[in-house]
Amino acid sequence: MAGSFRAGSNVDDLAAALRSIAGTGHAWAVSSGRAALSLILRSMKLQADDPNRNEVIIPAYTCYSVPASIERAGLVPRLCDVDAATLGMDPESLRASNFSRVLAVVSANLYGIPNALGDIEQVCREHGVFFVDDAAQALGARVAGRAVGSFGDAGIYSFDKGKVISTMQGGAIVSRSGSLAGVLEMAVAKLPASRLIERAVNPAKLAFYSIFLRPSMYPIARALPLTGLGQTTYDTRYPVARLSMFSQTVAQRLLARLDELSAIRRRNVAALTAAVEGAPGIELVRPVAANPISAAIRFPMFARNPAMRARLIGTFQRSGIGATSSYPQALVDVPAVRARLNQDTSRFLGARKVAATIITLPTHAYCPENLPERVQQMIRECTG
Ligand SMILES: *Cc1c(COP(=O)(O)O)cnc(C)c1O
């Protein structure tokens, strides 16, 4: 942070770092991941030949900012069920989707775990629709020799709280597609500057956040009215702007440490996996892709039922472990999303099961050494 006040930052250097991580020809930093997503979807709409295509297929369990950004872009969500074992889109549900009005499909890569991106890319190609690879949680993740975010026509990254790197707010667009990149380039060139209030307040917020990131501080942070940590809201009125100079510089400095920070997270996930594997009443996520490199931003697991989940999360949180139940509902049960759907909402068993039973644990560098043993012990006490 101190460095960001001294050094002049260069938006071209940040874009170059992002292009190098994603392996794409084009990258632009913007005010948030949601701003990136709404800009991409608007650009795709401009490029589409068929004016009737106004739907975007998304997994029925993902960040609420995704359907909010679809609304912001003037488009309509269409939900695809989620495979509760892999957290990816259920392949059957995707193939059975009505594509007649679909403009694009959006992945999720939740908790940094790559989805079956090659398969989704193939389905999109068959149907002649765009594919947005949502890597908001998966900066630095890789699968099949490619960076997550680089699949399909365009991808997004986020630098928000709780993501791989955080500048408080921020995001990026990457794209391999030459023709779409031209439309995106024009859209980004027209963006207003970041809001003065954010430029003034974000440095202080970031300092606060970096102190309260320590898991032992979570209970204190959560009790304070200032933070949005752990909140999930459906908001369509966010700014769509350029990334502030402060955030650019912090992003650039954190990106330079990405491999080091991600290696710690992956090590923590491996230790948690070893500690929890085989515990009665707990299930782990089975990644779909072969040999994926996860960004490992959280450690997800599933409790046997909602009551067990509540007991476990209560136990974890009381001892200072920042466990969460992630997004509170499947998107099909979020009123603001449901009201806009043109499809049968009766099933979505996978997404609803995930919403009811998922637990996520922190993986970042501040996690105490003995976190895996403590988690193992607490699971024994709760499920035994
Ligand atoms: C956080 C997130 C976004 C939005 O990113 P912001 O920078 O918070 O706007 C989009 N998709 C997913 C999956 C996310 O987790």
Side-chain angles (χ1 to χ4, degrees), residues 258-279:
L258 181 62
D259 289 345
E260 169 204 341
L261 296 170
S262 298
I264 296 171
R265 289 181 180 276
R266 282 197 283 272
R267 218 158 42 232
N268 288 342
V269 162
L272 282 165
T273 304
V276 171
E277 209 153 38

Side-chain angles (χ1 to χ4, degrees), residues 41 44-45 48 53-55 75 101-105 129-130:
L41 292 174
M44 288 176 168
K45 181 69 182 155
R53 293 194 177 264
N54 69 344
E55 290 184 348
L75 300 167
R101 294 171 64 96
V102 170
L103 174 71
V105 176
V129 301
F130 289 109

Side-chain angles (χ1 to χ4, degrees), residues 106-124:
V106 182
S107 61
N109 304 300
L110 293 185
Y111 319 112
I113 303 168
N115 293 151
L117 298 171
D119 296 347
I120 303 172
E121 201 172 51
Q122 181 60 31
V123 171
C124 290

